[in-house]
Amino acid sequence: MSATPSDGSTPSEALNPPAVAQVPLVNIANILTVTRLVLVPVFLFALFVDGGVSDGWRMAAFLVFAVGSITDFIDGHLARKYGLVTDFGKVVDPIADKALTGAALVGLSILGELPWWVTLTIAGREILVTLLRFWVIRYGVIAASYGGKVKTFAQIIAIGLYLLPLPAVLDPLLWVGMGIALVLTVGTGVDYVVRAMRLRANGANG
């Protein structure tokens, strides 16, 4: 009489477990991520045509940036909801996010519309967070915080306002929007440093 495995499976199933389905590399989430990367040079072209003074081209740059930003929210949602998470997506998705936002900030600074210190502050925060991730990776992964998501949304709104061909009378709105984004950028950066230090300390003492 043959024994039945404790998990209830038949002997043949125990010896030959069903293969785990592989997530295809080419899926809708990864396609959206790559699309966001492709949109970066398109965005820069629209931004710099006619020295950035053409209302039509500025609107085009805004629309390209908006589409790219929307894909940022959609691809992650689809990947998690439908089990489409891949190593490719884990690596390329944050690169695509930073490429689009970074291109917009640098482009606006080159055009003289956004102070370089603002661009360098935001870029410096992202570089610091990336380095911290590598620093503590052996002890664990720091989950994305709600504040980080709000920060990203605030940056997108602030950059979008700068890209739109708005009248000069609305400049204070741009400053307020970017000011909020800066406060959130620095604040979440400090929070990430604290959590990274705590994680490393706990890991070293464990």
Side-chain angles (χ1 to χ4, degrees):
M1 181 176 181
S2 61
T4 300
S6 59
D7 62 0
S9 61
T10 64
S12 61
E13 289 174 338
L15 293 174
N16 301 290
V20 177
Q22 294 294 318
V23 179
L25 179 62
V26 180
N27 60 62
I28 185 61
N30 285 345
I31 290 174
L32 289 175
T33 297
V34 173
T35 298
R36 188 158 65 258
L37 272 177
V38 173
L39 286 177
V40 173
V42 177
F43 163 76
L44 289 174
F45 174 81
L47 181 63
F48 284 108
V49 170
D50 292 336
V53 299
S54 168
D55 287 355
W57 281 108
R58 285 302 287 262
M59 182 59 71
F62 167 80
L63 291 175
V64 173
F65 180 79
V67 170
S69 298
I70 291 173
T71 66
D72 179 20
F73 290 98
I74 295 177
D75 60 5
H77 172 72
L78 292 176
R80 290 186 297 272
K81 182 176 181 179
Y82 297 105
L84 300 176
V85 178
T86 63
D87 290 338
F88 174 85
K90 292 178 182 178
V91 173
V92 178
D93 183 68
I95 294 175
D97 299 343
K98 292 176 176 59
L100 183 61
T101 301
L105 292 170
V106 171
L108 289 169
S109 292
I110 291 176
L111 292 174
E113 300 179 22
L114 184 67
W116 275 104
W117 68 266
V118 174
T119 294
L120 294 176
T121 297
I122 294 176
R125 185 267 188 196
E126 300 302 333
I127 293 173
L128 173 63
V129 167
T130 299
L131 292 177
L132 283 173
R133 285 197 178 107
F134 284 107
W135 187 52
V136 302
I137 194 169
R138 62 178 293 189
Y139 302 106
V141 177
I142 300 177
S145 65
Y146 177 75
K149 296 177 182 179
V150 175
K151 177 268 302 181
T152 300
F153 182 74
Q155 286 181 359
I156 291 172
I157 296 299
I159 293 172
L161 290 173
Y162 268 86
L163 292 174
L164 284 171
L166 299 175
V169 69
L170 294 179
D171 282 354
L173 179 62
L174 276 61
W175 304 334
V176 170
M178 189 58 72
I180 293 173
L182 272 174
V183 169
L184 290 171
T185 296
V186 174
T188 55
V190 171
D191 174 66
Y192 202 100
V193 171
V194 171
R195 290 194 292 157
M197 295 290 290
R198 188 177 300 149
L199 177 61
R200 185 176 176 86
N202 291 339
N205 295 330

